[in-house]
């Protein structure tokens, strides 16, 4: 049987990991201790980063890939998959993360973009990528570059779920339009969305995105997380929402349970009791446009 | 025929689609009462620590273990294989402890070691099966009641113990229905 030919780093293997994360919660962590709390609470993966988005927002400056030593420490602390962020277009940060054998790279607008014109050609990597999107065109451009997973962007570090809702509503409505269109209309739609034609055809056939889509950006409570599932997301990323709250361990566990049982309002009521204060947050409607992270990347 | 799919987390949709293609009805299992009336159960791939914790928290470990001991056909893929096993190396993780097997978790390494390959599986007949392994476990050793259906490089990747079936890979991510048909044949025999 030694003649069996093994292929690694294929698109099926990359999207396969994303499929296994479905129905789960991916949590931002900045230390090995936080990673252990996340794993203990039932996270399906952790995102290793130096500062959570709300701190990046508050402190300003250039946000870059995390210290490899910190990432390695988190990899050693848990057995669940470990993700990490590279700057948009920063090919070398992504190669460094690949060399660290990270399980998934987030080419993320939360960090300061390194390239304002080009995203990374993700198909050239063995490691899978997740990328942010605000609408179907943006999602399909990233998949066209090789992303194995999409997350709606939301507005990271705010604790305000309104942008996450806006983005998934937009993706859903774009998909409905593609599904309802005749095949003859798809090229014109592809042109308008700025999306690869073949992927638009695939969306029509599947009736959904060709890869797994999680929600991100502003999810702070179990009810927020369940809301994103009700709206059709496959899972959620929670960034600042957990470790900027009063009781991270309990809140993390409650969000995991609310995502698993998102249609069970009585259960969400039960797990939401006495969690202490959620992150204070800031309302997106009162923010200046230049402070919005979601507009980074295209 | 109604087959339950443990739906707490993971690749639930793909198993559901596969079973619907084969004409079986499915029910998502989230709570113990969802097990009523099912004639078989699938434990899909996902994150095993997450699924194990949620099963414990929602009282699913005991009723599923009892049903398995009483002969309910159960098919576990990847995480499902881990949950079926009696022993997990270097872990105190909660499992159903049904299959007489010792399992090594994340046994091939991190995601970059995940792979796909055509593997010959005699019990299925015909062409090799295209197996997709995602941060996969393998079975290191089994007891005498377990039939090994696929072994590669000394690693047991597919095995049966009576009503229990366990795969380290993901047939639900392919278009090949043979393994699901094989599992449904357990239910028909039952």
């Amino acid at each position: 049987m030694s003649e069996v030919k093994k292929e690694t780093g294929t698109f099926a293997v990359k999207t396969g990991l994303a499929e296994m994360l479905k129905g789960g919660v991916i949590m931002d962590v900045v230390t090995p201790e936080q990673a252990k709390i996340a794993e203990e609470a039932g996270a399906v993966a952790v995102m290793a980063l130096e500062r959570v988005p709300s701190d990046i927002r508050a402190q300003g400056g250039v946000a870059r890939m995390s210290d490899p030593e910190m990432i390695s420490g988190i990899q050693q602390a848990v057995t669940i998959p470990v993700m990490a962020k590279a700057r948009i277009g920063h090919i070398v940060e992504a190669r460094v993360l690949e060399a660290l054998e990270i399980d998934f790279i987030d080419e993320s607008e939360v960090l300061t973009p390194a390239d304002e014109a080009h995203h990374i050609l993700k198909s050239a990597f063995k490691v899978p990528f997740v990328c942010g999107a605000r609408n179907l065109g943006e999602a399909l451009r990233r998949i066209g570059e090789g992303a194995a997973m999409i997350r709606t962007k939301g507005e990271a570090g705010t604790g305000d779920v309104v942008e996450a809702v806006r983005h998934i509503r937009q993706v859903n409505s774009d998909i409905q339009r593609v599904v309802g269109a005749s095949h003859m209309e798809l090229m014109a739609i592809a042109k308008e969305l700025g999306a690869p034609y073949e992927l638009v055809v695939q969306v029509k056939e599947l009736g959904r995105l060709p890869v797994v889509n999680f929600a991100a950006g502003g999810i702070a409570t179990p009810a927020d997380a369940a809301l994103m599932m009700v709206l059709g997301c496959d899972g959620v990323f929670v960034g600042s929402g957990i470790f900027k709250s009063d009781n991270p361990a309990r809140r993390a566990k409650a969000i995991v349970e609310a995502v698993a049982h998102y249609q069970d309002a009585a259960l969400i009521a039960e797990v939401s009791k006495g969690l202490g204060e959620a992150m204070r947050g800031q309302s997106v409607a009162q923010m200046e446009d230049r402070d919005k992270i979601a507009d980074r990347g295209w | 025929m109604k087959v339950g799919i443990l739906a707490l987390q993971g690749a639930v949709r793909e198993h559901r689609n596969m079973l619907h293609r084969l004409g079986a009805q499915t029910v998502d299992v989230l709570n113990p009462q969802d097990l009523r009336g099912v004639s078989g159960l699938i434990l899909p791939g996902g994150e095993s620590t997450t699924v194990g914790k949620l099963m414990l928290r929602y009282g699913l470990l005991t009723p599923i273990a009892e049903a398995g001991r009483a002969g309910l056909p159960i098919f576990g893929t990847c995480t499902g294989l881990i949950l079926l096993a009696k022993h997990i190396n270097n872990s105190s993780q909660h499992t159903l402890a049904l299959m007489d097997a010792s399992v090594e978790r994340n046994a091939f390494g991190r995601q970059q070691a995940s792979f796909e390959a055509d593997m010959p599986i005699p019990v299925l007949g015909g062409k090799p099966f295209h197996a997709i392994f995602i941060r996969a476990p393998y079975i290191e050793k089994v007891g005498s009641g377990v039939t090994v259906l696929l072994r590669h490089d000394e690693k047991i990747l597919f095995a049966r113990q009576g009503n229990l079936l366990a795969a380290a890979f993901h047939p639900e991510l392919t278009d090949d229905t043979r393994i699901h048909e094989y599992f449904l044949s357990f239910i028909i025999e039952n």
Side-chain angles (χ1 to χ4, degrees), chain A residues 47-294:
Chain A
M47 177 75 70
L49 72 177
E50 233 155 40
R51 294 182 285 170
V52 293
S54 65
D55 286 338
I56 292 174
R57 213 172 253 295
Q59 295 161 6
V62 177
R64 310 178 178 90
M65 179 192 77
S66 299
D67 179 347
E69 191 176 338
M70 184 276 265
I71 293 171
S72 300
I74 288 173
Q75 284 175 309
Q76 262 139 50
V78 294
T79 65
I80 56 178
V82 178
M83 302 183 164
K85 291 180 192 289
R87 282 180 267 180
I88 291 174
H90 205 311
I91 307 157
V92 174
E93 283 190 350
R95 286 292 177 202
V96 168
L97 293 175
E98 187 176 49
L100 291 171
E101 295 194 2
I102 205 82
D103 293 300
F104 233 108
I105 296 175
D106 183 3
E107 186 184 19
S108 178
E109 69 281 0
V110 169
L111 305 185
T112 311
D115 189 329
E116 292 188 332
H118 306 99
H119 286 252
I120 296 169
L121 183 65
K122 292 161 276 285
S123 53
F125 287 72
K126 288 254 181 194
V127 59
F129 280 75
V130 54
C131 288
R134 291 158 296 178
N135 52 56
L136 182 61
E138 192 171 11
L140 296 183
R141 287 191 289 279
R142 298 294 84 77
I143 297 167
E145 292 154 356
M149 178 175 176
I150 293 295
R151 54 174 175 74
T152 46
K153 284 178 172 173
E155 191 56 39
T158 60
D160 185 349
V161 82
V162 68
E163 293 300 299
V165 170
R166 188 192 316 281
H167 297 156
I168 187 62
R169 290 269 188 205
Q170 186 63 50
V171 169
N172 287 342
S173 118
D174 293 344
I175 290 174
Q176 281 316 307
R177 183 170 164 229
V178 170
V179 169
S182 70
H183 276 281
M184 192 183 139
E185 295 169 293
L186 295 185
M187 186 60 87
I189 292 177
K191 179 188 175 202
E192 188 193 317
L193 294 178
Y197 172 73
E198 292 71 19
L199 292 176
V200 175
V201 173
Q202 218 180 327
V203 167
K204 178 169 171 63
E205 283 163 4
L206 292 170
R208 57 175 169 80
L209 281 177
V211 302
V212 166
N213 178 36
F214 270 44
I219 295 156
T221 68
D224 285 350
L227 170 64
M228 301 316 295
M229 298 300 288
V230 169
L231 292 175
C233 293
D234 293 313
V236 300
F237 284 88
V238 186
S240 324
I242 289 174
F243 290 99
K244 287 289 169 189
S245 74
D246 270 2
N247 190 335
R250 274 195 69 190
R251 182 167 295 268
K253 194 165 153 239
I255 291 176
V256 167
E257 297 188 30
V259 167
H261 295 266
Y262 68 92
Q263 289 168 314
D264 190 338
L267 184 145
I268 297 168
E270 196 54 41
V271 301
S272 300
K273 285 179 185 164
L275 290 182
E277 203 174 337
M279 71 178 280
R280 176 56 56 90
Q282 76 188 103
S283 159
V284 175
Q286 286 162 9
M287 283 167 61
E288 300 285 345
D289 279 349
R290 64 165 186 275
D291 293 328
K292 291 184 186 166
I293 285 173

